[in-house]
Amino acid sequence: MNIVKPDSHTCLIDGSRLIVESLARSGANTFLGYPITPSNLIYAYAFQRIPMAVPAPDEITALQWMAGLSASGRVPFTATSYPGFALMAESIGMAHMMELPMVIVLAQRLGPSTGSATDSGQGDLLLVRGLLSGGYALPVLCPADFADCWELPALAVRTALSLRTPVVVLTSKEMVMTQRDFDLSSLPEIESAFHNLYSGPGPYQTYAPEANLVPPFLPVGNSTHQVRLNASTHDAKGVPGPASGEALANSVRLQEKVIANLPDFTRFDLDEQTGAQTIIVAWDVTALAAREAVSLLRRQGRRVSLLIPKTLVPLPPVYLDIIGRYPRVIVAEENLTGQLRELLFGSAGRDGLKGVNALGRLITPEEIAEAV
């Protein structure tokens, strides 16, 4: 790691280092990427830590190579920001349809378009929510502090392998580039995750699911069974054809497997105070300001609760159950339009809802406290 004090495990570190180490320990063994700010540190660290790290000529190629390597049994990941992610979109949809596990780290920065590469932002939530044609859910996990930069990438690898799907780790410039002191001894051990490999007598059907709606995996090129992968509408054997009953049922299963297994990758922090009438909701780097705002308000004798969602897509129903207990809701996020607010409540909103938003700068704890 970086600067380590001789008498402790505290060091000066950034989220990128934690994310790469977490991915490596959890079983991600291949990195493919094209450098782009603010994900450059992940790119650089991956070439130091990951057994197979390959520079791609562009982001489209990176995702296409990831798909091929995932099909062969590797566990690939990449890191990018919005301009690169936009180029990856079609290939992510392909990997989703082919049920190829992989992890994409998306580091948000100020948009629209190329925006400002070195300014922070939280403007890509609705992008990842609506990325897949048909509205299918792509699991999205979002670290809210450095401890999450350790835990959630490992969870992303486990989820990608257990559900046979691409998973997005949504983070932002401040989380992956800004260094802070951090106690490494607080981090738990990470166990490596593995594919759920098919072991039956055959013939192997690439998309025949088990009870959890997820098909077991076999790599292409194995010596036992044929593996047929397909990005078009297909049946359990991977055979394309007209949008008939079995093929359409397989497409429906892609959504159902994510929803059915959502409790396995639902993560959030909840700090409730008895008698509070207001709950603050914040995600990503704004969660750090929200925690300080809650401390400030409580020192003033004011009662307030805090919800920090970390699983953002699909949206776990428990969030609305929790928020429904409060007459007033403050949603703080670093974007213009209130993307989590819209994801939670739609365009109609709800009574007692208020947003705290900023563009091109961090939201301060004082701004959140004033809204309460």
Side-chain angles (χ1 to χ4, degrees), residues 289-311:
R291 289 188 191 277
E292 291 193 26
V294 168
S295 297
L296 174 64
L297 290 164
R298 289 177 179 174
R299 287 197 299 272
Q300 296 172 352
R302 302 176 65 180
R303 297 184 181 275
V304 63
S305 296
L306 175 65
L307 172 64
I308 299 175
K310 302 175 183 179
T311 300

Side-chain angles (χ1 to χ4, degrees), residues 107-132:
Q108 300 168 103
R109 68 188 202 189
L110 179 64
S113 187
T114 49
S116 179
T118 55
D119 283 321
S120 61
Q122 292 176 254
D124 295 344
L125 175 55
L126 293 185
L127 168 70
V128 292
R129 169 61 183 85
L131 180 72
L132 298 177

Side-chain angles (χ1 to χ4, degrees), residues 279 281 307 319-326 329 344-345 350:
I279 185 167
V281 184
L307 172 64
Y319 298 165
L320 292 175
D321 294 340
I322 293 169
I323 294 171
R325 299 198 286 262
Y326 294 85
V329 186
L344 286 166
F345 307 111
R350 56 153 273 184

